[in-house]
């Protein structure tokens, strides 16, 4: 059986809620990306914007998972200024050589989700097996459920297709 790791970062809790819902539809292990410094409050928001605009990759806590044991890594990120969050950038840069396959989804309050996912694929040096853009409003209202189910099915289909005999 294929194994999946869902990795996410959430500053406000929105991406966390979407990741927790995805777990209902996709059997996977989960790991939250954690930083050494907090991003709470107005100063945390300002630092987040500065870090993403400067393409910084802040210090994150080491991953507790052995990525060699996973056939697919699903990465979830909030969109910051039409880009992936800086902690996710750090995670990707530290681990991309160990990814076998990747899929990704992002959550956003405004716009830029597809641009952020394109950047994710570029940083990972791989094509995304599945991708999803969710708005905060969709998550808050529950309208994201159908999209998360479809995304989970796409990830499972990609793994089943890869594992099918030729």
């Amino acid at each position: 059986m294929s194994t999946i790791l869902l990795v996410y970062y959430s500053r406000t809790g929105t991406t966390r809620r979407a990741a927790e819902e995805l777990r209902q539809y996709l059997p996977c292990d989960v790991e939250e990306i954690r930083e050494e410094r907090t991003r709470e409050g107005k100063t945390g928001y300002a630092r987040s914007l500065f870090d993403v605009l400067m393409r910084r990759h802040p210090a994150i806590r080491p991953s507790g998972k052995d990525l060699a044991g996973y056939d697919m890594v699903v990465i979830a990120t909030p969109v910051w200024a039409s880009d992936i969050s800086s902690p996710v950038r750090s995670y990707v840069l530290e681990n991309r050589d160990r990814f076998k396959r990747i899929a990704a989804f992002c959550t956003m309050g405004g716009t830029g989700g597809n641009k952020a996912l394109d950047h994710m694929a570029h940083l990972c040096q791989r094509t995304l097996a599945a991708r999803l853009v969710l708005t905060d409003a969709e998550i808050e209202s529950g309208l994201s459920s159908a999209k998360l189910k479809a995304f989970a099915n796409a990830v499972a289909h990609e793994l089943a297709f890869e594992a099918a005999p030729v």
Side-chain angles (χ1 to χ4, degrees):
M1 178 157 177
S2 297
T3 55
I4 303 167
L5 175 64
L6 169 59
V7 178
Y8 72 91
Y9 174 80
S10 187
R11 189 182 85 80
T12 64
T14 303
T15 306
R16 179 181 298 110
R17 281 196 307 280
E20 288 171 353
E21 184 175 351
L22 180 63
R23 284 185 72 188
Q24 296 175 28
Y25 315 124
L26 188 67
C28 59
D29 292 338
V30 178
E31 181 170 47
E32 182 175 5
I33 298 169
R34 298 193 182 267
E35 289 187 275
E36 296 295 327
R37 288 178 60 191
T38 183
R39 289 186 185 269
E40 293 176 356
K42 291 179 184 178
T43 56
Y45 177 82
R47 188 167 60 86
S48 298
L49 182 60
F50 182 76
D51 283 355
V52 77
L53 292 174
M54 300 304 294
R55 300 252 168 149
R56 289 178 148 175
H57 41 95
I60 59 174
R61 295 187 183 146
S63 174
K65 304 290 185 181
D66 178 10
L67 295 176
Y70 294 96
D71 298 309
M72 175 83 71
V73 177
V74 177
I75 304 171
T77 183
V79 174
W80 293 354
S82 297
D83 205 346
I84 62 175
S85 64
S86 298
V88 169
R89 178 182 292 107
S90 294
Y91 181 86
V92 167
L93 292 173
E94 290 177 17
N95 295 292
R96 67 182 171 197
D97 294 336
R98 293 186 285 278
F99 299 153
K100 292 178 185 173
R101 304 227 26 208
I102 59 161
F105 76 87
C106 62
T107 62
M108 62 181 189
T111 61
N114 283 313
K115 182 179 174 187
L117 291 180
D118 289 344
H119 187 230
M120 172 90 68
H122 175 76
L123 279 181
C124 290
Q125 301 171 337
R126 286 173 180 68
T127 301
L128 298 178
R131 57 191 286 152
L132 173 63
V133 175
L134 295 172
T135 65
D136 295 353
E138 289 172 320
I139 296 165
E140 293 295 324
S141 69
L143 293 173
S144 60
S145 293
K147 289 183 175 184
L148 285 165
K149 286 178 188 175
F151 178 75
N153 288 337
V155 169
H157 175 78
E158 283 294 321
L159 285 173
F161 180 76
E162 179 181 277
V166 179

